[in-house]
Amino acid sequence: MQARYLTQRALKIGSLALGRTTSAWRGVTVFTFHRVSAVPRSELELSPYSVHWMLRRIQRKFRLLSGDEFAQGIVEGRAWRRAALVTIDDAFEDAYSSFLPLLRELAAPAVMFVPTQFLDEPARAPVSYAFDPAKYRPCSWDQLREMAADPLITLGAHSHRHDEAPELSPQELRADCVRHGAIFERERLPPARLYCYPRGKFSTQAAKVLAEFYVAGFAGAPHHRLDGDLVNMAIPRVPLRGSDDGFFGWLKTGGFVTREEALTEGLKASLHRARPVTGQ
C-alpha cells in the first residue's frame, strides 16, 4: 500500500512538471467519482470528508448542471460558461448510503452510471479489485428507484456487462445496449440518455453504435476527440482519486488537470512493451 501510494504521488509530481491543462468541453468540466469509504484502500475510494470538500469546491468554482439539463443542452447544441457535471460510476451501495446524503446536504446534482448486470448479479462486480461481494455490493433496485425519483440524480448507462466497448462487435454492442434498456424498463426506471464507456475506452466504431441509443458518451481524459456527428460521443472526464486528497484535488476541482492521465497511460504502455512474450 505504501509503495502504491508513493508511486501515485510521484506520477502526480511528474505530471505537474510537464504542465497543466484545462479539461472543459463546451464550457463544461465533467468530474468522476467512484466510491466513498470511511477507510479508503484504493485509488477509486475517497473518504466522506474528501468528497464533501471536493463537491463544495466544485460548487464554488462552477455552476453545477443536472444530468437532465446537460442532456437537453446536448440535444439543443448548447454551450455553457464555467459549468460542471458530477458523475458517479458503477452503482456501488455506497452511492446510496454515502454519496446520496452528501449530495442532498449540498443540493448538488449528479449523474450515476449503472452497469445493470452488477445489480442483477452482485458477484459480477464491474472492477477487478471488487473480489469480495460482501464489501463491494451494488445498490438494490429499490435504492436505485429512490435515487431516480430524486431530482438531484440522473441515471445513466454504464453498459450491461461492463465490457470495453471497442472489444465488442457492433452487433454485440447493440445487444448490450438493448439489454441495459430492457432492464431499466423492467425495473420502472427512466430511459438512460447518457452513456459512460467502461474503463473510459472508446472507438469511432463503438461511438457510432452508441449514438443510436444515447445523446452523449463519456470517456477518460485525456483522449482524442471525435468530430462531426460523433462530437458528443467522446466527452472527457476528470477523475478524482484517492491520491487526490489535498493539493492535487484542490488543483483538479478548481478547473485544472495535470498531465497525470497521459503520464500514467504512457507508463502503462512502456511496461506492456517491456513485458516478455511467453507461450511461443
Side-chain angles (χ1 to χ4, degrees):
M1 185 68 68
Q2 177 89 9
R4 183 171 59 184
Y5 175 80
L6 292 175
T7 299
Q8 289 294 333
R9 302 302 281 189
L11 282 171
K12 289 176 182 292
I13 292 169
S15 66
L16 282 175
L18 291 173
R20 63 190 185 186
T21 59
T22 59
S23 189
W25 184 89
R26 290 192 179 179
V28 181
T29 301
V30 184
F31 296 97
T32 308
F33 293 96
H34 281 83
R35 305 290 315 276
V36 180
S37 174
V39 184
R41 298 183 183 277
S42 80
E43 274 291 87
L44 297 186
E45 298 179 4
L46 284 161
S47 70
Y49 173 83
S50 295
V51 173
H52 188 276
W53 77 256
M54 286 179 176
L55 288 172
R56 285 289 303 275
R57 179 164 167 77
I58 292 169
Q59 284 182 311
R60 288 195 296 268
K61 293 294 182 178
F62 302 91
R63 182 173 76 86
L64 266 183
L65 303 174
S66 71
D68 290 336
E69 182 181 3
F70 180 83
Q72 189 57 36
I74 293 294
V75 172
E76 296 170 357
R78 187 184 312 166
W80 291 268
R81 178 179 173 83
R82 196 67 176 172
L85 185 70
V86 170
T87 64
I88 303 165
D89 285 7
D90 298 332
F92 283 101
E93 193 278 335
D94 51 77
Y96 176 83
S97 62
S98 298
F99 262 115
L100 184 60
L102 290 170
L103 295 171
R104 285 172 169 169
E105 177 187 345
L106 298 173
V111 180
M112 190 169 73
F113 290 111
V114 182
T116 44
Q117 185 182 55
F118 184 32
L119 276 73
D120 268 351
E121 305 175 48
R124 301 290 294 272
V127 288
S128 58
Y129 68 83
F131 55 86
D132 182 355
K135 182 178 180 182
Y136 298 102
R137 61 186 183 275
C139 295
S140 68
W141 290 114
D142 284 340
Q143 290 171 339
L144 207 62
R145 278 188 287 271
E146 180 183 335
M147 286 190 282
D150 192 309
L152 291 174
I153 304 298
T154 301
L155 299 185
H158 199 23
S159 80
H160 174 61
R161 300 191 311 176
H162 206 264
D163 293 324
E164 292 181 11
E167 300 300 317
L168 301 178
S169 70
Q171 294 78 13
E172 290 171 328
L173 188 53
R174 285 190 184 92
D176 189 86
C177 294
V178 170
R179 182 76 182 276
H180 188 285
I183 292 174
F184 262 38
E185 183 178 7
R186 181 196 76 193
E187 297 297 333
R188 305 185 305 281
L189 296 169
R193 304 174 73 193
L194 304 174
Y195 181 89
C196 171
Y197 293 92
R199 301 182 182 88
K201 305 298 184 181
F202 73 100
S203 67
T204 300
Q205 177 177 270
K208 288 180 179 178
V209 173
L210 292 164
E212 300 171 13
F213 296 88
Y214 308 102
V215 302
F218 296 85
H223 55 68
H224 69 276
R225 296 174 185 265
L226 297 175
D227 298 318
D229 293 340
L230 297 178
V231 68
N232 301 329
M233 297 308 299
I235 300 173
R237 299 195 297 168
V238 179
L240 295 169
R241 299 192 174 99
S243 57
D244 286 322
D245 263 344
F247 174 70
F248 299 106
W250 179 88
L251 187 67
K252 283 185 173 182
T253 53
F256 295 90
V257 293
T258 68
R259 299 188 189 276
E260 168 194 356
E261 301 303 311
L263 187 64
T264 301
E265 288 301 313
L267 178 60
K268 287 179 180 177
S270 297
L271 292 173
H272 180 74
R273 286 193 297 267
R275 186 178 303 159
V277 177
T278 60
Q280 294 184 347

